[in-house]
Amino acid sequence: MTSPVRVIVVGAGNRGENYSNFASVHPERMKVVAVADPRKFARTKLGKQHNIGGENLFEDWKFVVEREKFADAVIICTPDRLHKEPAVAFAKKGYHILLEKPMATTVEDCKLIVQTCIQSGVMLSVGHVLRYDPTIHKIKELIDAGAIGDVIHIQHLEPVGFYHFAHSFVRGNWRNEAESSFSLLAKSCHDIDLIHHWAGARRCLKVSSFGSLSLFTTENKPAGAADRCLDCPVEKDCPYSACKIYLDSIKRGHTGWPVSVICANSHPNLESVTEALRTGPYGRCVYACDNDVCSNQIVNLEFEGGVTAAFTMVAFTEEICQRKTTIYGSKGELSYDGHQVRVFDFLTQMSTRHVGQDDIPKKFGMSGHAAGDYNLIRAFISAVANGDPSHIRSGPEETLMSHLLVFEAERSRLQSRVVYCGETNQK
């Protein structure tokens, strides 16, 4: 394919804007030709960025499907519970699909998406951006090269970050399971995917999990606290204060995430952010929200051959999503501190350090996923342009397998028991 890959963006929020920015950096490789989003401000903003005519700015993605196929691929970044329907519809229409993670919020919907993409002969790439981070990808390369011998045990930590959790999982879009999904799926499905990836071709045999919602409940609301931070007499003593997270950021001139998320109908400035905190969900006291998802959870997994893994997701951390990993092998130990990989060789008792090559263009913009976003969309566009799904590191079948492990883990937590993978009474 010599002309740019033509892409439709469904969901013009933070993720949709991030991925579509590839077209601004590489106009010879990708062109955004249409945007669908029910929010006028969001779709108009993205439309202006990519010079899209009004006839291709849609309030509802269903209007796009009704037209004759006019693009090569679609990027779906709708809310979690709204992934399945557009993914299935666009796959049937013959569009290749980049689908933001999680793939869907039920086992049945995940299976349907995969089945439809395979039957329709379209490529599916799921937004497991961690696989595309150069340094994290180096871990898999080292394992496959035998740097630590046979994998014996994997320890993996996701430190969500104290204000990130308050923003996304207490006040924000992923706070309530009925409206989005459980936090292990929403936040950590790509961590379980990494563990599954590092374990290689081994099948997971059993899973156990424990976790709960800590701190962010009405019982822990400080004496005298108001329901909104702008009105709260004890706000200055609260690390989760919306005034600190949003107002202080805008006063310092920071208009990126998370400030950019809270003003749905305007650009963030002191006035619009103040109004959002006065009337919107992000100005609420963290102890007076309708949140119900876990703030801390552990998952234990046993794979074929005796390989074990332990994963921890916790909200209360200084670092924001800087994963920590240690993989113990028969010939060495590999550790990742969020920045570089260190391998200690048992035979030589020497250590080596490794960092993946970071070649992100500065004008692409940075997100919390660093190089992962850029490399994911680059790989997807390459796959579509060349008709070659090997560019995609998280395709349909393997992504489905790792998603199923997430559902098994949550079932274990809810039922307080060890779950044997492949049981027939899955729910």
Side-chain angles (χ1 to χ4, degrees), residues 373-386:
D373 286 341
Y374 176 77
N375 289 322
L376 182 146
I377 184 65
R378 178 169 65 175
F380 177 68
I381 294 303
S382 295
V384 175
N386 297 293

Side-chain angles (χ1 to χ4, degrees), residues 120-135:
S120 302
V122 300
M123 287 180 274
L124 171 65
S125 175
V126 176
H128 284 156
V129 295
L130 296 180
R131 286 212 193 190
Y132 296 84
D133 180 279
T135 304

Side-chain angles (χ1 to χ4, degrees), residues 205-219:
L205 302 176
K206 50 190 174 182
V207 181
S208 66
S209 184
F210 310 92
S212 62
L213 169 61
S214 302
L215 186 65
F216 302 112
T217 63
T218 55
E219 293 80 12

Side-chain angles (χ1 to χ4, degrees), residues 245-296:
I245 295 174
Y246 307 109
L247 276 181
D248 287 358
S249 292
I250 203 74
K251 289 175 182 177
R252 293 193 299 268
H254 176 71
T255 58
W257 184 93
V259 176
S260 60
V261 174
I262 74 171
C263 301
N265 299 309
S266 66
H267 292 285
N269 54 43
L270 187 59
E271 183 180 358
S272 63
V273 169
T274 302
E275 179 62 21
L277 298 189
R278 183 177 291 116
T279 61
Y282 293 96
R284 295 180 294 176
C285 171
V286 291
Y287 305 103
C289 293
D290 59 339
N291 59 301
D292 61 7
V293 298
C294 287
S295 58
N296 50 286

Side-chain angles (χ1 to χ4, degrees), residues 392-405:
I392 297 171
R393 295 178 187 169
S394 185
E397 294 92 344
E398 191 174 3
T399 299
L400 177 60
M401 291 175 68
S402 67
H403 268 58
L404 293 179
L405 290 183

Side-chain angles (χ1 to χ4, degrees), residues 109-127:
D109 286 354
C110 289
K111 289 181 176 179
L112 180 61
I113 290 170
V114 169
Q115 180 184 27
T116 304
C117 287
I118 292 173
Q119 290 178 344
S120 302
V122 300
M123 287 180 274
L124 171 65
S125 175
V126 176

